[in-house]
Amino acid sequence: DRRQARHAFAWLTLDPSDNSAQTFWSDVLAAIRCSGALPTGSALQDISPATVFGAREVDVMLGRFDGLDRPLVLILDDFHLITNPDVLDAVAAMVEHRPPRLRLVITTRADPVLPLHRLRVTGQLTEIRGRQLAFTPAEAAELLTAEGLDLASEQRADLYRRTDGWPAGLRLAAMSLDRHDPAGSIERLTGTDRVIAEYLLEEVVDRLDPADREFLLRTSVVDRLCADLADRLTGGCDGQRVIDRLVSSNAFVTPLDEANRWVAYHPLLRDLVRHRLALERSTMVPLLNRRVAAWLGEQASRLQRMEPAG
C-alpha cells in the first residue's frame, strides 16, 4: 500500500498467442500504456512492434523509460508459456539492460530460460518458490474460516497435512468437503477426488512429456525417491537428471535436501499418480514393489557391511 503511490503497475497475463515477438511486445507495451506511468507525449507511445523485435529494438524501448512519471513494476504472468527463442532472447536483453525505473516481476511454473545467474550474484534477484508460497497452518485456518468451514483443530491439522499447505489444494479441498460430515470427508480426501484430480491432471500431469509422465507413474510406489532408486524402478540411467527437471519445472516434486538427492511427491499428486498406475499398469505394480524391496535389501546389506565389528 505504501509503494502504490510511488510506483505504477503494468500486469500482463500471457497466453499462447503471446509466443510471437510481435504479439508479445505489442501486449507488453499495451500493459505499460495502461499503467498510468507514461507522461503525455512519452516516446514509448510511438513504438509499434513489427514481426522482428529483438535486442536492438528492446534497447531502444528501454532507453525511453527515463521519461516515466514514476517507477514502473512490469509483471509478466504465466511466463512458462513463452518458448519462442526470439522472444526469450529479447526478454533476456531487457533483464540484462533493465533501466533503474523498471522493476520486472515474472511468475512462472518452471525456471525461465533467462540469464539470471548474474542477478543472483549481484543480489538483484529475489526468488519466491513453492515452499515460500505454501500456507502456514495459521494461514490455512484463515482460508478455511473464510470458506465458511468451522473445523476442529485436529481436522484443520489433518487437512493441512494432506494438502501440504498448497493454497489451491486447500481451496479445492474446501470446495469438496461435506459440511455435514467434515471429519469423514477429510479422511476420504485424496488426489483422486474429482475436483482435485481434474486440476492436477490439467495443470501438472498433462503438461509433462510422455517420458516424464511414465517416470512419475513408475516411481509413485515410494514415498521418497533418489536417483539410484528411480533408475531401479524405471530401468533407466538418468534418474537424477529427470528428478532435477521435475523439480525445476515445479511439477509438485519437493526436494528434501539442497542437492535434490532425495525428493518427495506432493501427497495429493502421489495419490493421483498411484491411482493412474493401478488403472493403466496394474500388472506392473507387483514388479515395481519387488524392485523396491530388493533395493532396500541391498541398502541394508551395505549398511551392515559398513558397521564396525562389535
Side-chain angles (χ1 to χ4, degrees):
D1 289 341
R2 290 194 300 270
R3 291 181 177 179
Q4 181 71 41
R6 301 202 307 266
H7 291 73
F9 293 84
W11 186 296
L12 174 60
T13 297
L14 300 163
D15 60 46
S17 70
D18 288 301
N19 205 26
S20 73
Q22 185 175 20
T23 304
F24 178 87
W25 291 107
S26 294
D27 287 349
V28 166
L29 285 164
I32 292 173
R33 289 168 186 145
C34 293
S35 69
L38 302 189
T40 302
S42 169
L44 285 169
Q45 299 277 12
D46 301 329
I47 299 177
S48 180
T51 303
V52 177
F53 198 93
R56 184 169 60 180
E57 289 78 14
V58 168
D59 281 341
V60 171
M61 180 186 74
L62 295 178
R64 302 182 181 184
F65 273 69
D66 290 339
L68 295 182
D69 282 341
R70 47 188 169 147
L72 174 70
V73 180
L74 173 61
I75 300 104
L76 301 178
D77 190 20
D78 284 344
F79 193 77
H80 54 274
L81 297 175
I82 304 302
T83 58
N84 185 321
D86 293 335
V87 179
L88 291 171
D89 287 346
V91 174
M94 180 169 67
V95 169
E96 292 211 45
H97 305 292
R98 180 178 52 85
R101 297 184 73 78
L102 175 65
R103 177 167 293 177
L104 185 62
V105 177
I106 293 177
T107 71
T108 175
R109 290 188 178 276
D111 287 354
V113 187
L114 297 172
L116 302 178
H117 51 282
R118 293 193 191 98
L119 299 180
R120 287 193 183 98
V121 171
T122 57
Q124 297 181 72
L125 178 68
T126 298
E127 296 178 87
I128 304 173
R129 296 189 172 270
R131 295 315 301 171
Q132 288 82 40
L133 292 173
F135 277 14
T136 64
E139 290 166 339
E142 186 177 346
L143 172 66
L144 295 171
T145 300
E147 291 292 327
L149 290 168
D150 184 19
L151 302 179
S153 59
E154 61 271 16
Q155 294 170 345
R156 290 197 301 269
D158 191 10
L159 190 55
Y160 183 83
R161 179 183 57 80
R162 291 172 184 270
T163 60
D164 201 22
W166 173 37
L170 284 162
R171 176 81 168 85
L172 294 171
M175 294 167 58
S176 302
L177 293 186
D178 180 351
R179 308 202 172 216
H180 299 293
D181 181 22
S185 53
I186 292 172
E187 182 66 30
R188 295 187 295 271
L189 183 72
T190 69
T192 61
D193 178 89
R194 182 183 62 82
V195 175
I196 295 174
E198 287 177 355
Y199 184 96
L200 288 172
L201 284 170
E202 182 176 347
E203 298 293 331
V204 181
V205 178
D206 290 347
R207 293 176 183 263
L208 299 174
D209 64 45
D212 286 350
R213 184 180 184 277
E214 184 68 17
F215 181 95
L216 212 61
L217 283 173
R218 289 173 178 251
T219 57
S220 64
V221 294
V222 294
D223 293 337
R224 299 196 312 154
L225 183 70
C226 67
D228 188 49
L229 179 54
D231 289 340
R232 180 68 63 88
L233 287 167
T234 63
C237 58
D238 60 348
Q240 189 62 56
R241 183 174 62 83
V242 179
I243 287 172
D244 290 342
R245 183 167 65 242
L246 291 173
V247 170
S248 66
S249 64
N250 203 21
F252 282 59
V253 179
T254 304
L256 301 179
D257 56 63
E258 292 296 328
N260 295 345
R261 286 187 294 266
W262 284 93
V263 298
Y265 297 155
H266 187 282
L268 294 175
L269 177 65
R270 189 173 63 239
D271 290 343
L272 173 64
V273 179
R274 283 179 179 173
H275 179 65
R276 301 305 303 180
L277 176 67
L279 290 177
E280 300 173 17
R281 307 277 200 283
S282 59
T283 58
M284 185 182 289
V285 175
L287 171 63
L288 294 173
N289 286 329
R290 286 196 294 271
R291 289 180 179 177
V292 173
W295 185 86
L296 290 172
E298 291 169 9
Q299 303 310 304
S301 297
R302 185 175 295 119
L303 287 173
Q304 284 181 338
R305 291 195 298 272
M306 293 173 61
E307 290 179 355

